Amino acid sequence: MARGNNRPPPSSDPSSGSSSTMEDASSPYSLQGSDHPGLVLVTHFLDGTNYSSWSRAMLIALTAKNKFVFVDGSVPRPADAELLFPSWNRCNLMVISWLLNSVTKAIVDSLIYFSNVSDVWNDLRTRFQQANGPRIFQLKQEIASLHQGSLDVNTYYTKLKTLCEELQSHLPLPTCTCGG
């Protein structure tokens, strides 16, 4: 039996404000040494025409870093006086900087004064997720006119699959009419 370690196990409750929670890599409050405000998480920047693929790439990157919980509000903003507020604020601002680094300058200028990352995300979704009639028409035209030609099968399939998935993301979800 080990002696000399009579301390209780570290708390896993993020509301306790325990420093061990901040050091726990599975905690949403944990930041790695490679996490910094200049980090670019996705390779294609949001320019207003590619919201669907950009938001999917950001969702994947932020979930992998365990930070999407700040975006979707799963980790709500604590009161300023709470012990956890400085850690929440640091992570919130870090995620805001990552989002700002992934959009064009014209879009950054309209987001710079938001203080909550979920407000940034919701603003982008409201502006750019709208069903875009001209883009839907363009995608249908590209799919209809796509020919394998001199492309190898993998390249042709990838182009077709990408166009179809983007088109699918623009189409509204079907509504249930069965009364179930």
Side-chain angles (χ1 to χ4, degrees):
M1 181 170 179
R3 295 185 341 192
N5 186 1
N6 294 330
R7 289 180 283 158
S11 170
S12 62
D13 178 13
S15 64
S16 71
S18 164
S19 66
S20 61
T21 301
M22 304 312 145
E23 295 165 8
D24 178 8
S26 66
S27 169
Y29 294 102
S30 172
L31 289 171
Q32 305 305 312
S34 61
D35 294 336
H36 57 85
L39 188 62
V40 177
L41 296 180
V42 296
T43 56
H44 37 299
F45 290 71
L46 176 64
D47 63 9
T49 64
N50 61 341
Y51 176 79
S52 183
S53 59
W54 173 86
S55 65
R56 178 75 178 139
M58 284 303 296
L59 170 74
I60 291 167
L62 291 171
T63 301
K65 288 197 155 290
N66 201 17
K67 299 296 181 269
F68 195 76
V69 293
F70 292 91
V71 172
D72 71 5
S74 298
V75 175
R77 180 187 194 273
D80 292 357
E82 288 186 40
L83 288 174
L84 209 49
F85 178 75
S87 295
W88 179 90
N89 193 46
R90 186 182 69 173
C91 290
N92 175 67
L93 293 174
M94 186 70 71
V95 177
I96 287 175
S97 70
W98 293 341
L99 290 179
L100 296 179
N101 292 338
S102 70
V103 302
T104 61
K105 170 123 176 61
I107 297 172
V108 166
D109 291 343
S110 69
L111 302 173
I112 198 73
Y113 295 105
F114 281 105
S115 59
N116 189 315
V117 69
S118 64
D119 294 338
V120 172
W121 188 265
N122 290 334
D123 180 72
L124 292 171
R125 183 178 50 223
T126 300
R127 279 197 278 167
F128 299 116
Q129 189 181 32
Q130 315 299 327
N132 186 339
R135 181 63 181 150
I136 291 171
F137 177 77
Q138 181 184 22
L139 288 168
K140 287 180 178 181
Q141 292 291 87
E142 288 181 44
I143 290 169
S145 66
L146 185 64
H147 298 288
Q148 183 176 351
S150 64
L151 299 175
D152 63 85
V153 173
N154 288 332
T155 304
Y156 173 74
Y157 174 76
T158 301
K159 282 187 174 200
L160 180 60
K161 185 175 187 310
T162 301
L163 291 170
C164 289
E165 286 177 356
E166 184 178 350
L167 177 61
Q168 184 65 34
S169 75
H170 284 288
L171 299 176
L173 294 174
T175 54
C176 177
T177 58
C178 67

